[in-house]
Amino acid sequence: MRAEQDTTLIPLKVLVAGGFGVGKTTLVRSMSEIPPLLTEQAMTAASIGVDDAAVVPDKQTTTVAMDFGRITVDDSLILYLFGTPGQSRFWFMWDELARGCVGAVVLVDLRRIDDCFPAIDYFENRRLPFVVAVNEFPGTDAYDDATIRDALALPPDCPLVRMDARRADSGLTTLITLVEHALARTTAAAS
């Protein structure tokens, strides 16, 4: 008879944040090993003049509370993904969603770079670790990392990654970068 190993499961809560239509729901959907909980609702005439869908004209739904997914990394690590709603009228929920999180992925659409500033400010003000993930939409102008970092006024220790939210492997690389960044900050703070 084999002795069973005692493995302690480490759950980590990760937020996925950013502006309206930047790919938060797509990332959670592509990464989750379980059917994700999505709170998407159809966009109606009430959103005209409130939600700027000009850059994402095919967008028919929007997140109104949160998205939730789960990723089992190995026998000891599990990530819980919480996608935040992007519109300012839902920002009051971010404090509850952020409670107990290890850090966040801030998605950026370079066609609408200003939309990511509220998320970056939120995590900087609360001193929560975050990575900036440029979601590379087709037809987006190419900018080098130094130009993007300068435009976002990112501190040197904030990771900047490029990704495709539709691809799980791309999302996994982003999440690994976040977890490594959060661990490095925790280790530095303990020293």
Side-chain angles (χ1 to χ4, degrees):
M1 204 164 159
R2 239 172 64 188
E4 290 192 31
Q5 289 183 325
D6 181 27
T7 37
T8 303
L9 187 63
I10 301 169
L12 297 179
K13 180 180 182 181
V14 173
L15 291 189
V16 179
F20 170 74
V22 76
K24 299 175 298 293
T25 299
T26 300
L27 179 60
V28 171
R29 185 181 287 135
S30 74
M31 297 289 307
S32 185
E33 66 193 20
I34 62 171
L37 168 68
L38 305 175
T39 61
E40 295 236 303
Q41 293 296 313
M43 292 177 59
T44 65
S47 69
I48 296 172
V50 177
D51 299 327
D52 181 12
V55 179
V56 284
D58 295 333
K59 188 166 178 59
Q60 301 295 315
T61 61
T62 189
T63 301
V64 296
M66 69 173 188
D67 298 321
F68 174 79
R70 182 185 76 203
I71 303 165
T72 302
V73 177
D74 58 28
D75 290 343
S76 64
L77 182 61
I78 190 166
L79 300 178
Y80 294 106
L81 300 178
F82 287 81
T84 66
Q87 302 95 319
S88 60
R89 66 183 179 275
F90 297 122
W91 289 346
F92 68 92
M93 290 187 261
W94 284 29
D95 286 336
E96 285 302 317
L97 290 173
R99 190 179 316 271
C101 78
V102 69
V105 172
V106 176
L107 285 175
V108 176
D109 179 348
L110 292 179
R111 301 170 297 179
R112 301 173 291 137
I113 199 165
D114 288 347
D115 293 352
C116 73
F117 285 116
I120 289 172
D121 290 345
Y122 181 88
F123 298 113
E124 282 181 339
N125 290 336
R126 285 156 183 81
R127 296 188 174 149
L128 289 170
F130 67 95
V131 300
V132 171
V134 176
N135 193 6
E136 296 189 318
F137 287 91
T140 302
D141 290 338
Y143 298 97
D144 62 40
D145 288 359
T147 301
I148 295 169
R149 293 183 78 78
D150 187 52
L152 297 175
L154 292 180
D157 67 331
C158 180
L160 173 68
V161 298
R162 294 174 184 265
M163 65 160 318
D164 183 337
R166 301 169 296 182
R167 294 185 27 226
D169 61 331
S170 182
L172 185 58
T173 300
T174 301
L175 292 174
I176 290 168
T177 301
L178 171 63
V179 172
E180 289 173 346
H181 175 59
L183 286 171
R185 281 190 46 177
T186 301
T187 302
S191 299

